[in-house]
């Protein structure tokens, strides 16, 4: 018996939650009591993401289908998996998007898909959804399309005319990992598609001679996702791959998705789920690389195994491993060094630099700027405060480490 739309929405929004490429959080429940109809889906498929202007927006996050002809070992939807399958038609995705949008549940659509029949066939259907939403229904909401990397370039290009953001998943940090766990995928082809997308985004971003305007093409740029923990790559390798992707393809974002093992001895996969904390630390390290002037080697220099410290945020871990660089004089230090002080973010550093033009700063001023004094004090000097030998204390790390939790016996 064919599943109802509501049943398929539950399956295909649940399947989409493994994709981190749009989410700042997982699926949220949203009460729609009293609205009736599709509103009683308990918020299936609604996630939050950040729009290019920084606003947090709600998106309908679904797969077009979780059927797939590929057999990527790390994926719950792979052809050999026995998950419940479902599929939406093009018209159903359009209808759902418009209905959710009209009812104010969402501000946009995040659409991904397993591969049905062929990469081009799947991509054609996804492009048709985006095209009809924009042209037939004049849909103005946000659209993020997860491109099928093996699809023909003209289809990926057409997708950019209608989508705000396109993403092409690099999947795993190394080509060897992809060859082992997703042998049907071609990492060189994925990178080629990313390169072509970058050129197109840049080309369309130039003002034309006639109209002196830029043309609309994936205005929110491109992003990618890497599965973390499915192969043996350490954090240094993962962050090194991200750095190359940012540099070579102008990506707006690399998303890290902690691998959820699928028990299957035939695939010879590790069965220990890495903590989500690893994913969180990678995002923090990625942030340091992009906005704080750290290079990947520095961020991962504190441990011999190339892994990030799970107990401490990467900037604090770096500072504790490089104590000779502290304390930093907040009233004199360059921006680059202020950014390396644990507890000082980019906005705070900006405020410090502008305040310094008029006054000399004291601890009270930092407190007024929202700085955690406990975190920052061992690493700075300001008027009226010097940490003396606090930064050299052997137990400094222990002062920042999370307290061990009492395990319940019940
Ligand atoms: S192609 Fe995508 S959906 Fe299909 S098995 Fe691989 S990762 Fe999963």
């Amino acid at each position: 018996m064919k599943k109802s739309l509501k049943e398929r929405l539950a399956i295909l929004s649940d399947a989409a939650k493994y994709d981190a490429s749009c989410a700042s959080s997982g699926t949220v429940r949203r009460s729609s009591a009293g609205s009736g109809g599709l509103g009683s889906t308990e918020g299936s498929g609604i996630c939050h993401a950040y729009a290019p202007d920084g606003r947090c927006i709600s998106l309908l996050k679904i797969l077009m289908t979780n059927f797939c002809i590929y057999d990527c070992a790390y994926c719950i939807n792979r052809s050999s998996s026995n998950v419940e399958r479902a599929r939406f038609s093009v018209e159903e995705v359009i209808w759902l998007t418009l209905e959710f949008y009209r009812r104010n549940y969402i501000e946009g659509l995040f659409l991904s898909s397993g591969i049905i029949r062929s990469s081009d066939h799947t991509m054609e259907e996804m492009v048709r959804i985006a095209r009809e939403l924009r042209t037939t229904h004049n849909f103005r909401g946000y659209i993020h399309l997860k491109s099928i990397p093996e699809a023909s370039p003209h289809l990926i290009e057409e997708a950019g005319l209608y989508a705000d953001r396109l993403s092409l998943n690099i999947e795993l940090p190394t080509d060897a990992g992809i060859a082992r766990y997703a042998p049907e995928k071609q990492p060189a082809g994925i990178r080629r598609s990313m390169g072509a997308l970058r050129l197109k985004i840049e080309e369309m971003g130039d003002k034309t001679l006639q109209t002196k305007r830029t043309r609309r093409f994936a205005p929110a740029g491109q992003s990618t996702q890497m599965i973390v923990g499915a192969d043996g790559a350490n954090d240094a390798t993962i962050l090194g791959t991200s750095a190359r992707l940012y540099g070579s393809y102008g990506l707006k974002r690399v998303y890290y998705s902690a691998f959820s093992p699928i028990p299957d001895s035939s695939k010879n996969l590790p069965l220990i789920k890495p903590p989500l904390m690893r994913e969180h630390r990678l995002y923090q390290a990625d942030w340091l690389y992009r906005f704080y002037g750290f290079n990947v080697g520095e961020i991962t220099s504190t441990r011999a195994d190339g892994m990030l410290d799970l107990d401490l945020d990467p900037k604090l871990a770096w500072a504790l491993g490089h104590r000779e660089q502290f304390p930093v004089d907040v009233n004199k230090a360059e921006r680059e060094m202020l950014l390396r002080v644990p507890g000082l973010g980019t906005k705070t550093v900006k405020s410090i630099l502008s305040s310094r033009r008029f006054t000399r700063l004291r601890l009270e001023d930092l407190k007024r700027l929202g700085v955690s004094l406990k975190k920052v004090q061992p690493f700075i000097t300001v008027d009226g405060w010097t940490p003396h030998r606090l930064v050299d204390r052997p137990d400094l790390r222990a002062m920042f480490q999370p307290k061990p939790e009492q395990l319940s016996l019940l």
Side-chain angles (χ1 to χ4, degrees):
M1 201 176 74
K2 193 178 174 196
K3 295 181 184 76
S4 70
L5 191 60
K6 186 174 164 183
E7 286 166 334
R8 284 179 286 144
L9 180 59
I11 294 169
L12 292 171
S13 60
D14 191 60
K17 78 184 178 199
Y18 296 99
D19 202 309
S21 310
C22 83
S24 59
S25 61
T27 304
V28 294
R29 298 280 170 208
R30 176 183 278 215
S31 168
S32 50
S35 59
L38 271 172
S40 59
T41 53
E42 296 175 304
S44 277
I46 298 173
C47 78
H48 288 133
Y50 290 100
D53 61 5
R55 276 183 323 123
C56 183
I57 55 173
S58 312
L59 299 178
L60 172 63
K61 183 179 180 183
I62 48 173
L63 299 190
M64 195 168 71
T65 178
N66 64 344
F67 284 100
C68 192
I69 54 174
Y70 281 17
D71 200 35
C72 308
Y74 48 80
C75 178
I76 189 81
N77 300 319
R78 62 193 158 86
S79 58
S80 59
S81 162
N82 61 0
V83 286
E84 198 173 6
R85 307 279 176 174
R87 183 180 170 177
F88 286 132
S89 67
V90 167
E91 289 70 28
E92 284 169 336
V93 175
I94 294 170
W95 185 82
L96 278 171
T97 309
L98 294 174
E99 282 302 301
F100 273 53
Y101 192 71
R102 282 192 195 112
R103 290 169 192 221
N104 243 354
Y105 298 162
I106 57 159
E107 291 161 276
L109 169 70
F110 172 94
L111 184 64
S112 183
S113 184
I115 300 172
I116 29 171
R117 271 198 246 168
S118 69
S119 298
D120 274 1
H121 174 80
T122 311
M123 194 68 203
E124 265 162 19
E125 297 218 323
M126 293 173 77
V127 170
R128 188 145 72 87
I129 289 168
R131 183 174 57 233
E132 291 198 13
L133 277 170
R134 291 288 192 227
T135 57
T136 312
H137 301 281
N138 201 20
F139 178 72
R140 302 281 185 173
Y142 183 84
I143 298 179
H144 181 158
L145 282 190
K146 180 55 71 74
S147 311
I148 310 294
E150 294 76 21
S152 301
H154 75 273
L155 288 171
I156 298 181
E157 214 169 275
E158 193 184 351
L161 297 175
Y162 308 115
D164 291 277
R165 173 166 283 183
L166 290 176
S167 46
L168 288 151
N169 282 358
I170 195 71
E171 306 290 7
L172 294 170
T174 64
D175 287 5
I178 297 177
R180 178 161 183 203
Y181 295 119
E184 290 137 313
K185 298 203 165 174
Q186 306 298 327
I190 298 171
R191 288 192 289 269
R192 218 174 11 255
S193 297
M194 283 180 171
L197 201 50
R198 176 186 196 162
L199 289 178
K200 198 71 195 168
I201 290 170
E202 287 173 356
E203 179 196 324
M204 300 291 260
D206 287 340
K207 292 183 179 162
T208 62
L209 283 175
Q210 287 89 9
T211 65
K212 307 276 183 264
R213 289 201 185 149
T214 59
R215 288 154 296 171
R216 190 190 156 85
F217 187 88
Q222 63 168 323
S223 58
T224 195
Q225 171 175 291
M226 235 187 285
I227 312 283
V228 172
D231 57 357
N234 65 14
D235 294 338
T237 304
I238 292 167
L239 291 166
T241 300
S242 299
R244 280 193 295 282
L245 293 174
Y246 282 124
S248 305
Y249 306 111
L251 296 187
K252 293 289 178 204
R253 196 76 197 263
V254 175
Y255 292 90
Y256 305 99
S257 177
F259 170 63
S260 304
I262 307 148
D264 181 345
S265 53
S266 68
K267 295 286 165 190
N268 201 21
L269 283 168
L271 293 180
I272 302 160
K273 184 173 179 173
L276 288 175
M277 184 53 82
R278 184 176 177 199
E279 189 182 294
H280 177 59
R281 294 291 182 229
L282 282 166
Y283 277 117
Q284 290 178 315
D286 183 291
W287 208 254
L288 291 185
Y289 165 76
R290 290 192 295 148
F291 303 112
Y292 284 77
F294 284 84
N295 65 45
V296 171
E298 288 176 309
I299 301 167
T300 53
S301 65
T302 50
R303 285 177 52 135
D305 59 2
M307 298 297 280
L308 296 168
D309 193 325
L310 291 181
D311 287 341
L312 301 174
D313 78 67
K315 187 153 80 152
L316 182 56
W318 177 83
L320 289 171
H322 296 83
R323 298 184 194 200
E324 72 288 351
Q325 310 228 18
F326 298 95
V328 166
D329 186 342
V330 172
N331 283 303
K332 283 196 191 142
E334 301 280 333
R335 176 176 183 273
E336 291 66 35
M337 198 57 216
L338 287 173
L339 285 172
R340 292 184 171 233
V341 176
L344 297 186
T346 48
K347 276 191 190 151
T348 311
V349 168
K350 199 170 170 205
S351 304
I352 289 172
L353 292 173
S354 58
S355 306
R356 267 184 2 191
R357 286 193 266 139
F358 310 105
T359 183
R360 288 190 59 82
L361 295 167
R362 304 177 63 83
L363 279 182
E364 306 84 87
D365 300 311
L366 295 182
K367 199 169 173 193
R368 243 192 319 275
L369 292 174
V371 174
S372 158
L373 294 187
K374 184 174 171 251
K375 193 164 188 182
V376 86
Q377 268 176 296
F379 301 102
I380 58 163
T381 58
V382 276
D383 280 10
W385 166 259
T386 174
H388 299 292
R389 301 201 62 75
L390 185 55
V391 77
D392 296 325
R393 275 174 61 159
D395 62 343
L396 189 56
R397 180 188 163 90
M399 286 165 61
F400 289 108
Q401 249 172 335
K403 304 268 171 292
E405 279 175 35
Q406 174 74 53
L407 294 177
S408 169
L409 294 173
L410 300 174

